Amino acid sequence: ALQGPETRLFVVGDEFQSIYRFRHADLEVFREQRAAAAADAATDELPLRGNFRSRPDVLGAVDFLGEALFGESFVPLEAGVDVAGEPPGGGPAAELLITDTTGDRASEGWRAEEIELEPPPGEKGAACVAEARFLAQRLRELHDRGVERGDMVVLLRAFAHVDAFEDALERAG
């Protein structure tokens, strides 16, 4: 029924959505279908790039990272709304905090014995704890400068390390 001569098919997909990874999807199937559609003159592709939830400067940070990670295949996002005014606290709307988790440098500045870098149950290493503590420390600083908790958001790679972040945020108050 979906392939008859009068059938019009509407497909939505985004290979960069993390849901595909944890559902063990084969992205090559998606990419092959997209390539076949692009090669078909009767098919229109309409990229959905508008984002109505984030400030333009936050999307700028996401676009920067997306391009750095995915190269030409990344399609930049566009702000669907213009948010007036400065972000709360007078600082940048987006920050990238980097915790080195490679080699011997993973614990520089994070003395395991001083900050109890034992990972919570279920966690695989001290690096996730260091990352969580670093983030919690920064959010504490922002809150102390007057940024309300409801004006901050944390995006995690996965739900797997949420216990480490909950613990770190609780410790930071």
Side-chain angles (χ1 to χ4, degrees):
L2 290 176
Q3 305 228 355
E6 300 299 319
T7 303
R8 295 184 63 162
L9 181 62
F10 179 82
V11 179
V12 177
D14 179 356
E15 68 184 283
F16 297 109
Q17 295 292 319
S18 63
I19 189 170
Y20 296 119
R21 185 177 322 144
F22 70 78
R23 300 229 178 200
H24 308 291
D26 181 358
L27 289 178
E28 282 309 309
V29 173
F30 174 83
R31 292 173 184 141
E32 289 168 8
Q33 292 296 316
R34 183 179 58 207
D40 183 353
T43 301
D44 290 324
E45 182 179 0
L46 304 171
L48 301 175
R49 301 187 311 197
N51 179 298
F52 296 89
R53 297 180 180 172
S54 300
R55 301 173 60 92
D57 33 10
V58 171
L59 293 179
V62 170
D63 288 345
F64 173 79
L65 289 173
E67 186 176 334
L69 292 171
F70 301 111
E72 292 179 8
S73 64
F74 181 77
V75 178
L77 300 169
E78 296 175 358
V81 293
D82 189 19
V83 180
E86 293 295 315
E95 293 183 31
L96 178 62
L97 302 179
I98 298 174
T99 304
D100 186 359
T101 59
T102 60
D104 294 332
R105 297 177 302 171
S107 61
E108 277 185 26
W110 295 97
R111 294 198 190 296
E113 65 277 1
E114 291 178 7
I115 63 167
E116 302 170 33
L117 263 183
E118 285 300 313
E123 300 299 336
K124 292 185 178 170
C128 72
V129 177
E131 184 179 75
R133 300 264 173 92
F134 185 34
L135 174 67
Q137 175 185 324
R138 180 62 183 134
L139 295 178
R140 175 82 257 167
E141 290 168 3
L142 289 170
H143 185 66
D144 291 346
R145 285 191 4 219
V147 178
E148 295 297 321
R149 288 178 177 95
D151 290 329
M152 295 182 253
V153 64
V154 175
L155 302 176
L156 300 174
R157 287 183 300 277
F159 199 68
H161 300 294
V162 73
D163 291 346
F165 285 88
E166 286 178 340
D167 178 66
L169 290 167
E170 186 175 320
R171 287 173 182 249

